[in-house]
Amino acid sequence: MRIKSLIPTMTGVFLILAFSFLGYQRVHKPRIFILHSYNEYMPWVERVNQGIRHVFKDKAYISLRYFYMDTKRRNSPVYIQRISKAVLAAIHAWKPDVLISFDNDAQNLIGQNLTRFKNTKIIMGGVTDNKRWPEYDKLPNITGITEEIPVAAIREVLSLIFRQERRIYYLSDDSITSRTLEKNMLSQNWGSYELVAHKRLKTLDEWKEAVQEANKTADILLVSVYHSIKDGKKNINTQKLVSWMNENSRIPVVGVYESFIIDGGMIAIAISGLEQGYSAAWLAFNVIEKKIAIRDIPTLRGKTFSLFINKDELRKRFPQAQIPIILDTFSKSSSKLNHLQNPNFRER
């Protein structure tokens, strides 16, 4: 009888201990704060997040929090000041174990406030400025992964698809991302290819003029970032811009980001957002799970790329294009990227 009478008490004690443990675990979960420069609906960001999810999908004991600065579309000084304060306040309130920041604006904000984060482990993703690489290697609480235009891949893929074309006209907007990307790209070995021109532009009229110039002086138009191009006082509609290039460029237009394909481009030899997200998340996981010190992790170099080809459109527009079986198998069409394009992206 005494044993039976103790059962409710023991059950109650067990439940209290169990819930206490779960509560403790919830409060003391390792925390990773993921700071994006752009908004969550950009194809680049969605691919980065896809890589992050691949690492943490079965690790519910680690708490993730995302913050999107949205500075690609909203970049007035007043907005930058306001969003920067919001970011710093959110990080201070949550006190993450690891802070991951992607792309230039997020990295600049963290870099300007390093004294606030001297006890926080920091991983920089999408590092385009090669001057920062040795700087990060010297800091005991920062590491990261570089984002570089895959020149070797571009060179080899183009040589297989366009056998005779060798003159490249490189075109981008005048954003910080474009400026930092080009520093490394222009110093790379382009082999038998010649960069006949390189222009960073601000307006739609300048862009159209450059495309017409490329028609006369080059064989391939290589397009990097174009999202900050202005049509009057408004940001350009990127799909309309790519559509205009498809109609008016007499030479193949090749993008270096996946968003170029989503916007209607024919071919992209693209920096891998998936690799950026996966690598940064993998580093964060090892720092938390295996207690690896940040100072023991050198800056990683981004190496992989993605190939996207709209084969029918490319062959129709440029019959001389050859698509070897190995590239056809490796490449992805725009339809396989449709799941990345949120239908509300253009209106948000």
Side-chain angles (χ1 to χ4, degrees):
M1 293 293 293
R2 292 182 61 188
I3 293 176
K4 288 184 178 180
S5 65
L6 287 174
I7 289 177
T9 302
M10 294 172 65
T11 302
V13 170
F14 172 78
L15 290 174
I16 290 172
L17 291 173
F19 282 115
S20 297
F21 173 76
L22 291 174
Y24 176 86
Q25 188 182 47
R26 182 178 180 84
V27 171
H28 294 275
K29 275 185 177 182
R31 295 177 173 184
I32 300 176
F33 192 101
I34 300 163
L35 177 62
H36 281 285
S37 296
Y38 313 132
N39 72 68
E40 61 188 299
Y41 301 107
M42 283 191 67
W44 167 259
V45 175
E46 293 196 343
R47 287 287 277 177
V48 169
N49 284 346
Q50 185 180 353
I52 293 171
R53 288 194 298 270
H54 188 79
V55 173
F56 292 114
K57 60 185 177 182
D58 58 349
K59 299 173 179 63
Y61 59 90
I62 296 176
S63 183
L64 306 180
R65 180 167 293 184
Y66 294 80
F67 195 113
Y68 301 92
M69 295 177 68
D70 196 17
T71 56
K72 181 69 74 175
R73 297 181 305 171
R74 307 171 68 185
N75 48 29
S76 69
V78 173
Y79 176 78
I80 294 295
Q81 184 179 27
R82 186 171 73 248
I83 199 67
S84 297
K85 288 182 179 179
V87 169
L88 296 175
I91 296 172
H92 176 74
W94 203 51
K95 296 179 174 57
D97 300 286
V98 177
L99 169 61
I100 305 176
S101 66
F102 287 103
D103 301 305
N104 285 295
D105 290 322
Q107 291 163 13
N108 289 339
L109 177 60
I110 300 305
Q112 292 162 7
N113 292 274
L114 283 178
T115 55
R116 295 172 180 248
F117 306 119
K118 58 185 178 181
N119 296 320
T120 304
K121 302 172 182 68
I122 300 172
I123 296 169
M124 303 290 197
V127 180
T128 56
D129 189 349
N130 55 15
K131 290 183 179 179
R132 283 176 165 169
W133 305 345
E135 175 187 339
Y136 291 157
D137 283 337
K138 293 177 183 177
L139 297 172
N141 65 322
I142 299 181
T143 190
I145 175 171
T146 67
E147 174 189 334
E148 304 172 52
I149 291 177
V151 171
I154 290 172
R155 195 178 63 216
E156 293 183 19
V157 171
L158 290 181
S159 70
L160 293 172
I161 297 178
F162 304 107
R163 305 293 175 85
Q164 305 301 321
E165 292 81 350
R166 285 294 180 270
R167 298 174 300 168
I168 295 177
Y169 194 112
Y170 178 68
L171 198 55
S172 71
D173 63 20
D174 195 34
S175 63
I176 294 175
T177 301
S178 295
R179 291 180 216 165
T180 52
L181 273 174
E182 73 183 34
K183 291 177 184 177
N184 180 59
M185 185 209 73
L186 295 176
S187 65
Q188 294 294 308
N189 177 17
W190 285 87
S192 61
Y193 288 91
E194 177 189 3
L195 289 176
V196 297
H198 162 238
K199 292 194 175 180
R200 281 188 278 107
L201 305 173
K202 296 181 179 180
T203 70
L204 177 59
D205 288 340
E206 291 174 340
W207 192 278
K208 289 182 176 180
E209 184 179 339
V211 171
Q212 298 295 354
E213 182 181 62
N215 284 334
K216 302 174 184 177
T217 61
D219 305 311
I220 293 171
L221 179 58
L222 186 65
V223 174
S224 178
V225 185
Y226 47 85
H227 298 79
S228 71
I229 294 294
K230 297 288 186 181
D231 182 6
K233 294 184 178 181
K234 296 181 179 179
N235 285 336
I236 189 68
N237 180 304
T238 56
Q239 290 183 338
K240 289 183 178 179
L241 177 63
V242 173
S243 176
W244 184 90
M245 284 192 288
N246 288 341
E247 294 174 3
N248 291 274
S249 177
R250 297 195 300 270
I251 59 178
V253 184
V254 180
V256 300
Y257 280 97
E258 294 157 348
S259 57
F260 180 71
I261 287 289
I262 292 176
D263 285 334
M266 298 180 196
I267 178 171
I269 308 164
I271 299 167
S272 175
L274 187 69
E275 179 195 29
Q276 293 290 322
Y278 181 91
S279 297
W282 180 83
L283 289 175
F285 171 72
N286 279 276
V287 166
I288 287 175
E289 187 77 4
K290 299 183 180 180
K291 310 300 181 185
I292 297 176
I294 287 283
R295 63 176 175 272
D296 295 331
I297 305 174
T299 301
L300 303 181
R301 300 289 294 270
K303 294 181 179 180
T304 63
F305 70 97
S306 300
L307 175 62
F308 302 91
I309 304 175
N310 281 330
K311 293 179 291 184
D312 294 340
E313 288 298 318
L314 183 65
R315 285 172 171 154
K316 179 180 178 181
R317 187 73 174 79
F318 301 101
Q320 77 274 23
Q322 305 291 320
I323 305 177
I325 292 176
I326 190 169
L327 292 187
D328 192 11
T329 303
F330 178 71
S331 68
K332 306 172 183 66
S333 67
S334 61
S335 63
K336 294 183 180 179
L337 279 176
N338 284 343
H339 69 285
L340 294 178
Q341 189 177 22
N342 187 293
N344 296 321
F345 173 56
R346 300 298 166 191
E347 288 74 40
R348 291 181 71 90

